[in-house]
Amino acid sequence: MEHFDLLVIGGGPGGYLCAERAAQGGMTVALFEAVHMGGACLNEGCVPTKTLLNSAKLYRHARESAPFGVTSENPVLDHAAVMKRKGQVVRQLVTGVEAAMRNHNVRIIRAFAVIEGREADGFRVSAGGESYAGKRLVIAAGADSAAPPVPGLREALDSGFAVTSREALELTALPEELAVIGGGVIGLEMAYYFAMAGTRVTVIEMLPKIAGNTDPEICKVLMDDYKKRGMTFKLDCKVLEVTRSAVVYEEKGERKEAPCGLVLLSTGRRPATAGLGLETLGIAMDRAAIVTDRHMRTNVDGVYAVGDCNGRLMLAHTAYREAEVAVNHMLGVPDEMRYEVVPSVIYTDPEVASVGESLESAKAKGINAREVKVPLLFSGRYVAENRGGRGFLKLVADMDSRCVVGCHMVGSYASEMIMTAVMMVDTGLPAERLQKMVFPHPTVGEALREALFQL
């Protein structure tokens, strides 16, 4: 039996970064991954979807480039070529992760790991017919697509008439009509690509708005733009059934159908904790999620959980930071997870990004909050690069401390600009100090500086 300082179950962002950081800290590490190094993010989520969305953005710009003095006759989005490049990008990055593990002497065991319990020599894990022992254990098992109990849905998934984002990213042919169940981030990003590629897309969402907790005004801008791309939205509608040729839903008390050639299920994800043997250690659970504190510790000394399996914030960048916090705790370095400063992004065109409090959530917490809204048209670069853009940002501040507590934006470069807002929220510097920061000109980010002067 091999012995290690740390056993890591799961090779996604949280798992592989945890293994890397622990090895850098002098630990011997074994990493268990049964499917793909890089996890869902690298193989069937973040990276492949961004590859598709970039192709959709280039196609959109080619089609709408005439007002900018560039003519392109009959641009074509070649789905087969897009998918080929997606595969190349994924393979390159997976290879990079594997190389990083080798460079840090992390032992990779390509098998499903099951926790057998705890003995005198540490935690015992079995995988591929072998047993391994570790002084500490990190669970980074990720999550799977959640399937609601809708009649006919399971049969549709089994037959291939319905797919999750995993299967959608492997489609070699585009459906003429696509019905998307769920209007959250994953569903919107996938729906946007298919719509730009020529598929007629209908999004069915049970809530009265798309994009979950995203600012309602931003959601309206986003949905208006999506509609211009040919997408149809059925909001505040409950899915009743999936037949062999349609999604049946209820709208204002009426039973209606969305005929389609394919159904994309995008109703969220569920921690993939079944079958791991967590019960052998008595690990505390909140339904399928592993309960953790701000040091990523479970209720069992020496056991940590990072990434989607703890159900906190199912985002790859959250998993990265959780991994660092967990390893720092093991090494005795003071650190803790601050979920309130984790940003979120929707990578369609336009982009959406946010961090921290909204005006409503800040006031609900008793903060003397004020919100300022600045159109991105304040930026010379935004005007130069956009035609009639409706982008804007909202900055939320605590007027007692004069500190920024939240930011919400829609428009080009939002995914990159949000990091400046994250640092504003994270550092807690007052607006008067932030106003002295020099922003490069012309950049879209200058709108943030303008907002600071309006507080």
Side-chain angles (χ1 to χ4, degrees):
M1 180 188 300
E2 295 184 75
H3 292 73
F4 297 86
D5 294 322
L6 177 65
L7 305 178
V8 181
I9 298 177
Y16 73 70
L17 188 63
C18 190
E20 182 177 339
R21 292 287 188 265
Q24 289 172 331
M27 298 185 199
T28 56
V29 184
L31 175 64
F32 301 87
E33 174 53 52
V35 186
H36 300 296
M37 285 299 298
C41 173
L42 196 49
N43 293 277
E44 56 195 54
C46 316
V47 171
T49 55
K50 303 314 163 284
T51 308
L52 268 60
L53 287 169
N54 185 61
S55 293
K57 181 187 293 185
L58 291 172
Y59 177 53
R60 174 179 177 176
H61 288 183
R63 287 174 52 185
E64 302 173 7
S65 62
F68 297 89
V70 179
T71 57
S72 178
E73 293 185 7
N74 302 319
V76 175
L77 190 153
D78 184 339
H79 178 68
V82 172
M83 297 301 282
K84 180 179 179 181
R85 183 171 185 276
K86 181 267 298 182
Q88 293 168 344
V89 169
V90 170
R91 285 192 295 274
Q92 177 181 339
L93 293 174
V94 168
T95 300
V97 170
E98 293 172 341
M101 296 301 99
R102 291 194 298 271
N103 292 340
H104 290 93
N105 296 315
V106 173
R107 172 74 184 283
I108 300 176
I109 293 98
R110 296 185 177 276
F112 185 81
V114 177
I115 301 166
E116 294 183 329
R118 188 175 195 172
E119 299 180 9
D121 54 354
F123 299 98
R124 191 70 60 85
V125 169
S126 64
E130 302 290 336
S131 291
Y132 304 85
K135 296 177 184 177
R136 295 184 179 90
L137 174 65
V138 170
I139 304 165
D144 294 319
S145 296
V150 174
L153 178 57
R154 176 49 56 190
E155 292 80 0
L157 288 167
D158 292 341
S159 69
F161 177 60
V163 296
T164 67
S165 58
R166 175 186 300 172
E167 296 82 30
L169 286 165
E170 299 298 328
L171 292 175
T172 56
L174 293 166
E176 291 187 8
E177 293 180 304
L178 174 70
V180 181
I181 302 177
V185 174
I186 297 174
L188 292 176
E189 290 185 350
M190 294 298 297
Y192 182 85
Y193 170 75
F194 280 101
M196 290 303 299
T199 297
R200 293 189 297 276
V201 177
T202 300
V203 177
I204 305 169
E205 168 59 51
M206 67 182 297
L207 298 176
K209 60 185 281 294
I210 59 172
N213 294 325
T214 302
D215 178 272
E217 190 175 359
I218 288 177
C219 288
K220 185 179 186 310
V221 170
L222 204 59
M223 195 162 73
D224 288 347
D225 193 271
Y226 291 164
K227 287 179 178 178
K228 291 178 182 177
R229 309 299 152 197
M231 295 168 61
T232 300
F233 291 89
K234 300 296 180 181
L235 304 181
D236 212 5
C237 294
K238 179 182 178 180
V239 174
L240 302 175
E241 180 185 3
V242 177
T243 68
R244 294 183 179 182
S245 60
V247 174
V248 181
Y249 60 96
E250 182 181 11
E251 183 178 31
K252 296 180 180 178
E254 294 185 31
R255 182 183 175 94
K256 297 186 177 181
E257 289 190 2
C260 57
L262 188 71
V263 176
L264 172 62
L265 176 63
S266 184
T267 52
R269 295 176 66 79
R270 176 184 174 86
T273 52
L276 293 177
L278 302 178
E279 66 282 355
T280 63
L281 298 177
I283 293 175
M285 307 289 291
D286 180 5
R287 291 182 291 184
I290 299 172
V291 177
T292 56
D293 64 11
R294 286 197 169 225
H295 302 292
M296 312 323 302
R297 297 177 298 183
T298 68
N299 63 309
V300 178
D301 187 38
V303 180
Y304 301 76
V306 303
D308 291 359
C309 66
N310 65 33
R312 292 290 197 111
L313 282 176
M314 293 187 177
L315 301 167
H317 47 278
T318 303
Y320 282 138
R321 181 69 187 121
E322 288 176 336
E324 293 171 339
V325 169
V327 173
N328 281 339
H329 186 268
M330 297 175 203
L331 297 175
V333 178
D335 200 0
E336 70 172 25
M337 190 67 198
R338 295 184 63 208
Y339 292 100
E340 60 272 19
V341 295
V342 175
S344 62
V345 180
I346 303 174
Y347 292 88
T348 55
D349 187 11
E351 294 180 344
V352 172
S354 64
V355 64
E357 307 289 347
S358 64
L359 179 63
E360 293 74 19
S361 68
K363 287 185 174 181
K365 293 179 180 179
I367 297 172
N368 178 23
R370 182 187 173 196
E371 175 186 272
V372 296
K373 176 183 173 183
V374 173
L376 296 187
L377 293 171
F378 271 84
S379 159
R381 182 178 182 181
Y382 185 82
V383 175
E385 295 185 0
N386 292 271
R387 185 167 173 262
R390 296 173 59 193
F392 64 86
L393 65 83
K394 294 180 177 181
L395 212 57
V396 182
D398 180 339
M399 298 310 292
D400 293 334
S401 65
R402 301 283 295 163
C403 295
V404 175
V405 295
C407 182
H408 308 265
M409 61 181 76
V410 56
S412 53
Y413 306 106
S415 62
E416 302 296 337
M417 288 165 55
I418 196 62
M419 195 56 221
T420 302
V422 169
M423 288 189 283
M424 291 178 179
V425 177
D426 190 37
T427 58
L429 293 173
E432 287 73 18
R433 175 64 185 88
L434 295 172
Q435 290 166 356
K436 296 177 182 179
M437 297 174 63
V438 180
F439 285 68
H441 176 78
T443 57
V444 181
E446 286 178 286
L448 279 166
R449 186 173 187 271
E450 177 64 31
L452 289 169
F453 279 94
Q454 293 187 21
L455 288 173

